[in-house]
């Protein structure tokens, strides 16, 4: 291996640094707290209604009945495709491919590794919660892809998709310093989460409380990713907005003061 290649790999495994203003850093940290609080409120609200059959849980059956009435062959094909892509086989493959490609192309490995570790945290969280809540799925007769006897709360499909798109959008947008890019990425993330929510309800595998709780959980996981990334990589510069992986240095005149 040449000196250049060794230097490139050493750089890849050094912590990424990017320049932000003090205001930008504060906004990111405050945003992570707000996201965590909102996500926790959404999740707790859904969770509280499941055993007590109150609140949003009372909408579970009416919403499921409404989605059942919308079933048509052409729509079902699209929903099945979404279920496969974001399912327990498709989603890990997508995450693996994105992580590996991003890892190889990026100057620093920090962001792809943070995305992958956040996804693992999400999976572990879902696996821990489901057997504790023990929420039954909708009737087997409503399931369009065969019976599923596992617990319903939360929805792993929605949880995984939400983590992937929200955290991915943040990790890209936080380095661009362009408002339109941020709006575009999070709009795409929101749309992808929405179609996955619709897919799970349409196919008859989850209740409204399940998918909504999953979004709330994902907001909390995303808040952790934002806080960790900001604490580790964001370095305050008077001007901010430096290129990814760099911190803008002060001018020689300013250094002499």
């Amino acid at each position: 291996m040449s000196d250049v290649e060794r230097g490139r790999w050493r750089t890849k495994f050094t912590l990424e640094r990017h320049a932000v203003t003090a205001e930008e850093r504060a906004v990111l940290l405050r945003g992570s707290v707000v996201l965590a609080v909102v996500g926790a409120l959404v999740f707790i609200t859904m969770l509280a209604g499941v055993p007590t059959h109150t609140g949003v849980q009372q909408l579970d059956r009416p919403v499921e009945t409404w989605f059942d009435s919308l079933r048509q062959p052409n729509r079902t094909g699209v929903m099945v495709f979404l279920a496969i892509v974001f399912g327990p086989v498709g989603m890990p493959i997508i995450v693996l491919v994105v992580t590996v490609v991003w890892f190889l192309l990026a100057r620093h490995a920090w962001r792809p590794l943070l995305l992958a570790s956040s996804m693992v945290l999400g999976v572990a969280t879902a696996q821990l919660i489901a057997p504790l809540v023990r929420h039954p799925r909708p009737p087997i007769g409503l399931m369009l892809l065969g019976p599923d006897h596992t617990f319903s709360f939360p929805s792993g499909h929605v949880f995984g998709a939400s983590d992937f798109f929200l955290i991915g959008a943040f990790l890209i947008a936080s380095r661009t310093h362009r408002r339109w890019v941020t709006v575009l990425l999070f709009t795409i993330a929101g749309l992808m989460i929405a179609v996955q929510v619709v897919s799970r309800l349409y196919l008859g595998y989850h209740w409204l409380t399940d998918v909504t709780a999953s979004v709330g959980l994902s907001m909390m996981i995303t808040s952790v990713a934002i806080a960790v990334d900001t604490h580790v990589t964001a370095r305050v510069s008077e001007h901010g907005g430096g290129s990814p992986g760099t911190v803008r240095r002060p001018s020689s005149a300013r250094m002499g003061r």
Side-chain angles (χ1 to χ4, degrees), residues 171-186:
L171 291 174
I172 297 172
S174 62
R175 293 347 187 237
T176 63
H177 300 278
R178 292 181 176 88
R179 187 179 299 274
W180 72 268
V181 173
T182 300
V183 172
L184 176 62
L185 289 173
F186 279 100

Side-chain angles (χ1 to χ4, degrees), residues 25 61 76 92 114 119 139 146 154 167 185 201 236 239-240 248:
R25 193 173 193 276
R61 290 192 179 276
T76 300
L114 179 59
M119 295 296 297
I167 297 171
L185 289 173
L201 294 172
V236 174
H239 301 287
R248 187 170 297 181

